[in-house]
Amino acid sequence: MRRSLCLFTCLVLAVLVAASATAQTLEDKVHEFELDNGMKFLVVERDAAPVIFCAIAFKVGAIYERPGITGISHLLEHMLFKGTETIGTKDFKAERAFLDREDELAEHARDLMIEIEPWRLEYLDEYVNDLTAGMSEEDREAVGTDRALELELLIEMMEEDGPTAELHSLHGLLEEDDTDYFGLYLDLKRTEMALYDTMEEHRELIVSNELWETYVNNGSRMLNAGTSNDGTFYFSYLPKNRLELFMLMESDRLENPIFREFYTERDVVMEERRMSENEPEDALYEAFMSTAYTAGQYGVPVLGWMSDLRMMTRADLREYFDTHYGPQNALGIFVGDVDIDKVERLAKKYFGPIPAGPTLPELTTSEPRQQGERRIVVKKDASPTLTIGYHVVNEPHPDGHALEVLTAILSNGRTSRLYKSIYEEQGLTAGAPGVWIGPGSRLDPLFVVDAEPKDPHTLDEVEAAIMTELERMKTEPVQRRELERVWNQMEAQLVRALGSNIGLAFRVGMYAAMRDDWRALLTDMERRKEVTPEDIMRVAEKYFTEENRTVGWLVETASEEGDEEGEEEVDFRVLMQWAQTLPEEEQTELMMKFQTLDEGAAKAMAEKLWARMKAEQGGK
């Protein structure tokens, strides 16, 4: 649910920011400058209201990770809210001893896990989970949320009861060649207990959430951050007289971040990882991507793999940050009631003294040509879902422009082909199939179609119908009026975004950060308008082949609680598509609301919107 809610919020935002205008108009609005250390800035002056949308974009995302530290970019996003040498601490000098002790214990725990080996850890962790489940109610109440106390009780139980007969029966599990692996595992648990005890003492010196509260107390709205495959973004809406505060705070956490509470936050991210594994849509998405990609980093989830997260240390994070997050890899974005000269003066004052770091390594690994269709089946207690993907190319590749237009023809609004044919006329799906190109723009992407069969229709039926529509793109030329409709839709979306600071910041800023030139959004639009029916047929014939295809099925399994009919689950993909049909003002209001809600409130709001959508569609 968490990833789906986040995805829905981001997709609603994406509807608002997919915009631009004529080259002349934007050239007049957008100002750029660069500091001596390589940090770039993009400023758009709009005095419609006395507020500024401020953001720092890093051209670093999960694609720069390596085996062993997957998920570290997302974890770093969390950690950069933990403060600096002056923010988030009562006495930083006193903190140093705790930070060093925590790192020492964590390194020792990692060494023990490596020595014990993963296969033994799996058995022994399961044994400890059984012990935990068997704790008395009295013990559970005494433990509460005290992880150190829980480990203390577990260690006592392990020492008193010893390994089970089943563990003794497995050759080499508990001991081998004079190595006492059960003893090493006990040592691991004692080390973890000492780590949590140290963290608890350390907490007395920490001012939790000081960075966050400083922003909020100074009128910040939409304070947030996000990590993708391609980049990381930190942003906030602030009153115009708080521009210098933003410069001060962001330069401080770029130059002097202190990754306090690292191991606590690592636990939080690991819980996110567990939730993702249990979420059917996430499980299908990850299985599909890891099947479609054999070499490309897009096959690795942004959240990372659990085994990597478990062994990650603060030293790993520090090394990754120092290597990748220098000012030369950052872009400051400011849109609103702001003066360009003031932005440049404050940028030089606060960001200028930060020394440049290493240049980002070139991303040279390409996905090899697929040699045959790949299929993956995921079984979950959830509605059946279908995902089909083809390896394609991104803009500015010439084929990328035709593929973007083809995507819009298939899925852009109620007049699109898949909406009219698959959803409306044949009634095969619960909502119109979604079509998108991703999961990023800097490496080899996929052209993806997602769909959820409507009972009693099957995955086979829906897949066959989608394949028929894709085959039509190869042989039946698109009519000129259909191309013009798509171009008009694209341009209308582009123009609308000029009315919001957020739209300008994300659209222009995204192109500036990921493509190194915001003007690419204008040239991309012009190239799309040059796409011909023959181009559409050519790219469909080139990429929509069986050997280039990956298919993922989410297959429904019976619930352990029986087949009792419960409340209908919210399909966030379908809900997002419906939201795109709402008036622009209402879309903006929805996005703003979602940004301010916690997970529970966001879920409740999504359920209300789902009920409204179903009512408006006559219960379809």
Side-chain angles (χ1 to χ4, degrees):
M1 171 62 81
R2 170 181 273 179
R3 192 184 80 89
S4 299
L5 284 169
C6 179
L7 177 61
F8 176 64
T9 304
C10 291
L11 289 172
V12 172
L13 178 63
V15 172
L16 302 175
V17 303
S20 169
T22 65
Q24 183 178 5
T25 302
L26 278 181
E27 286 285 1
D28 293 340
K29 290 178 175 288
V30 179
H31 306 275
E32 300 172 277
F33 63 89
E34 183 175 339
L35 302 182
D36 291 340
N37 58 16
M39 186 168 179
K40 297 179 180 179
F41 289 81
L42 185 150
V43 185
V44 183
E45 298 177 82
R46 294 182 73 253
D47 58 1
V51 292
I52 312 169
F53 185 83
C54 308
I56 302 294
F58 291 96
K59 296 191 293 184
V60 184
I63 54 177
Y64 282 98
E65 296 167 0
R66 58 171 173 77
I69 59 167
T70 61
I72 199 168
S73 303
H74 172 249
L75 178 54
L76 179 61
E77 174 207 316
H78 285 237
M79 294 308 304
L80 282 178
F81 283 94
K82 294 299 180 180
T84 66
E85 294 182 8
T86 56
I87 298 172
T89 183
K90 297 175 183 176
D91 183 348
F92 178 63
K93 289 183 178 179
E95 271 196 274
R96 287 188 181 276
F98 287 102
L99 291 168
D100 291 344
R101 177 60 176 156
E102 288 164 7
D103 290 344
E104 179 185 342
L105 290 166
E107 293 285 356
H108 182 54
R110 177 159 69 176
D111 290 342
L112 286 168
M113 286 188 282
I114 292 171
E115 186 173 0
I116 294 168
E117 296 185 59
W119 73 273
R120 292 189 182 91
L121 284 173
E122 184 176 350
Y123 278 106
L124 293 169
D125 286 344
E126 185 177 346
Y127 159 69
V128 164
N129 290 338
D130 290 341
L131 289 179
T132 304
M135 281 186 176
S136 67
E137 289 298 322
E138 183 180 356
D139 284 342
R140 289 179 184 277
E141 187 174 340
V143 167
T145 59
D146 191 330
R147 180 62 176 151
L149 181 56
E150 181 184 60
L151 285 165
E152 183 179 352
L153 290 175
L154 283 170
I155 291 167
E156 289 178 4
M157 295 167 71
M158 292 169 67
E159 290 175 332
E160 182 176 341
D161 298 340
T164 64
E166 180 184 2
L167 295 180
H168 275 294
S169 69
L170 297 170
H171 177 73
L173 175 63
L174 300 177
E175 59 179 325
E176 188 173 37
D177 296 333
D178 298 326
T179 300
D180 179 5
Y181 289 105
F182 187 75
L184 289 176
Y185 191 76
L186 273 170
D187 191 10
L188 172 62
K189 293 301 160 187
R190 293 188 189 103
T191 303
E192 290 175 351
M193 182 180 70
L195 175 59
Y196 282 100
D197 275 332
T198 304
M199 288 159 55
E200 185 61 32
E201 292 182 57
H202 182 185
R203 198 165 286 118
E204 295 296 320
L205 296 171
I206 296 173
V207 183
S208 294
N209 300 319
E210 185 175 18
L211 184 145
W212 184 279
E213 291 176 1
T214 299
Y215 268 123
V216 172
N217 292 337
N218 281 274
S220 173
R221 293 185 295 122
M222 291 182 62
L223 176 61
N224 216 324
T227 303
S228 69
N229 287 283
D230 291 350
T232 310
F233 299 84
Y234 299 84
F235 52 89
S236 176
Y237 235 131
L238 286 165
K240 63 176 294 184
N241 61 358
R242 293 295 184 268
L243 173 63
E244 187 162 8
L245 173 70
F246 183 85
M247 293 289 199
L248 168 65
M249 299 282 280
E250 296 308 307
S251 61
D252 190 26
R253 66 169 166 173
L254 176 57
E255 186 174 22
N256 305 302
I258 298 301
F259 303 128
R260 55 177 61 88
E261 298 184 286
F262 172 83
Y263 300 101
T264 301
E265 204 63 29
R266 185 184 66 177
D267 287 348
V268 171
V269 172
M270 288 173 68
E271 184 58 29
E272 282 189 63
R273 172 72 257 178
R274 292 186 190 95
M275 291 173 64
S276 180
E277 291 169 357
N278 292 326
E279 177 66 38
E281 289 181 3
D282 290 357
L284 173 62
Y285 177 83
E286 288 189 1
F288 174 79
M289 286 296 172
S290 61
T291 301
Y293 287 98
T294 57
Q297 193 66 13
Y298 285 156
V300 179
V302 173
L303 282 177
W305 301 119
M306 183 66 83
S307 56
D308 287 346
L309 292 170
R310 183 179 185 181
M311 291 205 181
M312 208 173 289
T313 67
R314 202 167 69 98
D316 293 326
L317 190 76
R318 170 54 69 179
E319 180 183 10
Y320 186 74
F321 176 83
D322 290 345
T323 303
H324 295 85
Y325 287 79
Q328 76 287 348
N329 300 323
L331 171 70
I333 305 167
F334 301 88
V335 180
D337 190 2
V338 62
D339 178 76
I340 176 67
D341 294 329
K342 185 175 182 180
V343 173
E344 187 164 1
R345 175 173 58 80
L346 293 174
K348 289 178 178 177
K349 176 181 177 180
Y350 289 103
F351 287 96
I354 303 174
T359 302
L360 286 175
E362 292 296 326
L363 299 168
T364 57
T365 301
S366 297
E367 183 67 19
R369 184 182 298 276
Q370 192 166 312
Q371 301 298 314
E373 184 185 64
R374 300 170 186 165
R375 285 186 171 264
I376 183 72
V377 175
V378 176
K379 296 183 178 181
K380 288 281 187 179
D381 179 22
S383 300
T385 304
L386 167 70
T387 300
I388 303 169
Y390 298 89
H391 292 281
V392 292
V393 293
N394 269 316
E395 294 172 315
H397 189 293
D399 289 353
H401 307 308
L403 287 163
E404 289 289 343
V405 175
L406 192 159
T407 298
I409 289 170
L410 289 173
S411 66
N412 202 348
R414 296 185 179 186
T415 57
S416 63
R417 292 194 174 189
L418 295 187
Y419 186 101
K420 292 180 67 66
S421 174
I422 306 293
Y423 173 61
E424 194 170 59
E425 296 172 4
Q426 301 181 62
L428 294 174
T429 56
V435 185
W436 51 279
I437 295 175
S441 61
R442 298 177 67 188
L443 301 179
D444 310 310
L446 295 173
F447 177 97
V448 181
V449 183
D450 294 313
E452 181 180 327
K454 179 181 179 182
D455 189 62
H457 298 291
T458 66
L459 289 165
D460 271 319
E461 289 179 85
V462 174
E463 182 178 332
I466 290 172
M467 296 300 185
T468 297
E469 291 298 326
L470 296 183
E471 287 299 314
R472 282 184 60 202
M473 304 304 296
K474 300 179 182 180
T475 58
E476 300 178 14
V478 175
Q479 296 298 309
R480 179 75 184 183
R481 65 178 180 273
E482 194 170 9
L483 278 177
E484 290 176 348
R485 173 182 62 79
V486 167
W487 294 333
N488 289 338
Q489 287 175 334
M490 289 178 169
E491 287 193 319
Q493 289 174 338
L494 290 171
V495 171
R496 281 198 300 270
L498 285 178
S500 75
N501 293 342
I502 301 170
L504 278 168
F506 271 91
R507 192 62 172 177
V508 176
M510 184 75 73
Y511 267 82
M514 298 298 111
R515 294 276 292 275
D516 294 322
D517 185 359
W518 65 267
R519 296 166 187 81
L521 73 89
L522 299 174
T523 55
D524 282 350
M525 186 63 219
E526 292 305 309
R527 297 298 174 267
R528 292 172 196 169
K529 290 166 65 177
E530 295 172 0
V531 169
T532 66
E534 291 72 25
D535 291 329
I536 299 289
M537 289 192 293
R538 177 180 56 79
V539 296
E541 181 71 30
K542 180 177 179 179
Y543 296 105
F544 297 165
T545 65
E546 180 180 355
E547 61 270 18
N548 189 40
R549 184 167 64 220
T550 300
V551 180
W553 281 17
L554 178 63
V555 177
E556 183 176 15
T557 58
S559 170
E560 294 179 1
E561 299 177 1
D563 296 324
E564 297 180 9
E565 186 175 347
E567 293 186 6
E568 183 179 10
E569 286 288 330
V570 175
D571 187 320
F572 289 91
R573 183 182 62 253
V574 173
L575 188 59
M576 180 274 295
Q577 292 167 347
W578 170 77
Q580 293 181 29
T581 68
L582 298 175
E584 182 183 355
E585 296 77 12
E586 188 170 2
Q587 292 179 21
T588 303
E589 183 181 355
L590 283 176
M591 184 273 295
M592 296 294 288
K593 283 184 178 179
F594 267 97
Q595 286 286 341
T596 63
L597 298 176
D598 60 24
E599 185 176 347
K603 177 182 177 183
M605 182 175 171
E607 289 170 348
K608 287 179 65 176
L609 288 170
W610 180 257
R612 173 186 160 190
M613 181 197 76
K614 300 295 285 187
E616 290 182 4
Q617 294 177 347
K620 270 190 178 182

